[in-house]
């Protein structure tokens, strides 16, 4: 039996589809004309008042220093390089905050479902307190704790050997980079692959036999083992720069400022409260029959969460979790309130020195938009991988 031919498009005003297409094109044209008029009018007024415009200032010397950065920067370098430093500082706090907030929020969310009354109450109190106090106030609170309650640099806290914690921030030992460390990095990459292979084997074994094998500890062991092998092949570089306390400060090693720690802790604590609710709601969305089936199979509570409930809850968790990730990235712009030199802070300094308000603000908006779209795209890819597929 032959299939009927597809219906022909009717390019006439009587066609609803044709009228809809015309209306969309007209709406886009009106929007483009409105934006073009506003920009033309703005630049005309700026020229009339002698206000310079354009992005040529990016190649000019910045004329200011940046107190904290992963890349060395001095005032003779360009504004463009200053923006790069601001972006790296933003990513530095945002990426670490995403990982810590996810781990802490997941633990708090699971803790809210425990039968232990004390743990359940503490987790519930944590969620209510962190979500109902504005983030800016929390940042001020953490900054006060960092700069007022901690001891001075002359007598810092020593939680571990070679680690110093004081009003000046956190100082810690740092390996000195040598070519042999490439072997360690390659070994760690191989270890990640071996860990993934073992996890896949454990999953296939469980689906085939119903018996579970340990996954995390053997995987972590493979990761460490291959890292050590790579380190040995690279010549076992072992030079470490250990910080030392002098009469006025701590020299050597790696360090992070109290401003960075304030922003990182504030973003982690604030966002983890929302992630905890997302995780709790996701787990509770799984049918109670799944719990009964896990009990019937004799699975422990941790096995039930890892093998049954969390995999099914991910399809509910991922969409709102993406929103919280976007919120954390955008909330990092509050760094200017505590003096951390992030993208917004450096852009504000550039704006004050050059007067290019439109250009500076537009660039910051474009960067945050790009980061948000990239985060959404990556999370959507992961969401498609973990969603339950209909058979």
């Amino acid at each position: 039996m032959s299939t009927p031919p597809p219906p022909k498009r009717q390019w006439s005003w009587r066609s609803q589809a044709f009228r809809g297409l015309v209306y969309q094109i007209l709406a886009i044209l009106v929007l483009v004309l409105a934006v073009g008029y506003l920009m033309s009018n703005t630049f005309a007024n700026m020229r009339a008042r002698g206000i310079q415009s354009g992005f040529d200032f990016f190649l000019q010397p910045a004329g200011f220093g940046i107190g904290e950065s992963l890349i060395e920067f001095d005032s003779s370098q360009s504004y463009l390089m200053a923006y790069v430093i601001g972006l790296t500082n933003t990513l530095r706090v945002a990426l670490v905050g995403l990982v810590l907030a996810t781990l802490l929020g997941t633990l708090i969310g699971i803790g809210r479902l425990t039968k232990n009354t004390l743990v359940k109450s503490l987790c519930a109190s944590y969620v209510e307190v962190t979500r109902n106090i504005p983030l800016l106030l929390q940042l001020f609170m953490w900054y006060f704790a960092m700069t007022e309650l901690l001891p001075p640099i002359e007598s810092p806290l020593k939680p571990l050997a070679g680690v110093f914690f004081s009003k000046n921030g956190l100082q810690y030992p740092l390996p000195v980079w040598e070519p042999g460390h490439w072997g360690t990095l390659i070994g760690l990459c191989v270890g990640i692959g071996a860990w993934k292979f073992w996890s896949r084997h454990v999953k296939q074994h469980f689906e085939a036999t119903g018996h579970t094998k340990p996954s995390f500890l053997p995987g972590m062991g493979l990761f460490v083992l291959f890292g050590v092998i790579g380190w040995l092949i690279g010549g076992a570089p072992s030079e470490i720069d250990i910080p030392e306390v002098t009469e006025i400060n701590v020299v050597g090693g790696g360090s992070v400022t109290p401003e960075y720690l304030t922003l990182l802790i504030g973003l982690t604590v604030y966002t983890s409260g929302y992630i905890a609710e997302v995780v709790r709601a996701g787990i509770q969305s799984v049918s109670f029959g799944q719990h009964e089936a896990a009990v019937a199979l004799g699975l422990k509570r941790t096995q039930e969460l890892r093998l049954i409930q969390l995999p099914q809850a991910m399809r509910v968790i991922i969409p709102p979790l993406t929103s919280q990730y976007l919120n954390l990235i955008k909330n990092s712009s509050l760094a200017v309130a505590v003096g951390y030199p992030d993208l917004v802070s450096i852009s504000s300094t550039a704006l004050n020195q050059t007067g290019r308000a439109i250009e500076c603000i537009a660039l910051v908006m474009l960067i945050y938009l790009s980061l948000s779209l990239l985060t959404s795209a990556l999370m959507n890819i992961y969401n498609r991988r973990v969603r339950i597929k209909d058979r």
Side-chain angles (χ1 to χ4, degrees), residues 112-379:
R112 292 207 62 184
L113 301 176
T114 184
K115 295 181 180 179
N116 188 305
T117 304
L118 177 60
V119 174
K120 186 175 181 179
S121 301
L122 289 176
C123 292
S125 301
Y126 176 91
V127 169
E128 295 303 324
V129 170
T130 56
R131 292 200 309 165
N132 290 291
I133 297 179
L135 175 58
L136 186 59
L137 295 181
Q138 293 190 37
L139 290 177
F140 287 152
M141 179 192 70
W142 288 113
Y143 191 65
F144 172 79
M146 291 288 176
T147 57
E148 297 295 334
L149 301 183
L150 289 177
I153 189 63
E154 294 82 6
S155 55
L157 298 176
K158 301 177 182 179
L160 296 172
V163 178
F164 304 97
F165 195 28
S166 66
K167 293 181 178 180
N168 283 38
L170 180 67
Q171 289 78 28
Y172 51 88
L174 191 67
V176 177
W177 176 259
E178 299 178 19
H181 284 302
W182 284 111
T184 306
L185 294 178
I186 295 174
L188 293 176
C189 292
V190 175
I192 292 175
W195 191 345
K196 187 175 182 180
F197 176 80
W198 174 255
S199 299
R200 185 181 301 156
H201 167 72
V202 169
K203 182 179 180 180
Q204 293 174 349
H205 178 77
F206 175 75
E207 292 176 349
T209 65
H211 299 292
T212 61
K213 287 184 177 181
S215 174
F216 179 78
L217 291 180
M220 177 63 74
L222 290 172
F223 176 73
V224 174
L225 175 63
F226 281 101
V228 172
I229 293 174
W231 176 68
L232 293 174
I233 294 176
S238 57
E239 184 178 355
I240 299 178
D241 186 8
I242 300 177
E244 298 179 357
V245 179
T246 65
E247 295 181 356
I248 57 176
N249 59 2
V250 177
V251 296
S255 64
V256 290
T257 63
E259 289 78 16
Y260 173 83
L261 292 175
T262 295
L263 188 62
L264 178 63
I265 295 174
L267 290 175
T268 299
V269 171
Y270 181 77
T271 309
S272 64
Y274 289 92
I275 293 179
E277 284 296 275
V278 170
V279 172
R280 179 193 61 80
I283 294 176
Q284 288 186 325
S285 69
V286 178
S287 172
F288 187 73
Q290 299 294 312
H291 167 71
E292 294 176 329
V295 173
L297 290 173
L299 297 181
K300 299 178 181 178
R301 177 58 177 164
T302 55
Q303 293 175 324
E304 178 187 350
L305 282 171
R306 181 169 56 87
L307 299 174
I308 296 178
Q309 290 187 328
L310 281 178
Q312 297 183 69
M314 292 303 289
R315 58 177 177 173
V316 178
I317 291 175
I318 293 299
L321 183 63
T322 302
S323 298
Q324 297 309 318
Y325 283 179
L326 298 178
N327 287 337
L328 188 147
I329 294 173
K330 291 180 288 187
N331 286 338
S332 66
S333 61
L334 291 175
V336 67
V338 294
Y340 179 70
D342 76 323
L343 182 64
V344 174
S345 176
I346 291 176
S347 179
S348 299
T349 303
L351 188 156
N352 291 331
Q353 292 193 176
T354 63
R356 311 287 178 91
I358 295 178
E359 291 83 353
C360 292
I361 295 174
L363 181 60
V364 172
M365 291 173 61
L366 178 61
I367 292 175
Y368 274 105
L369 176 62
S370 301
L371 292 177
S372 298
L373 292 178
L374 178 61
T375 303
S376 297
L378 294 176
M379 293 299 291

Side-chain angles (χ1 to χ4, degrees), residues 311 314-315 318 381-389:
M314 292 303 289
R315 58 177 177 173
I318 293 299
I381 293 173
Y382 182 69
N383 188 35
R384 285 194 294 269
R385 291 187 57 187
V386 302
R387 69 182 179 184
I388 298 177
K389 300 177 177 62

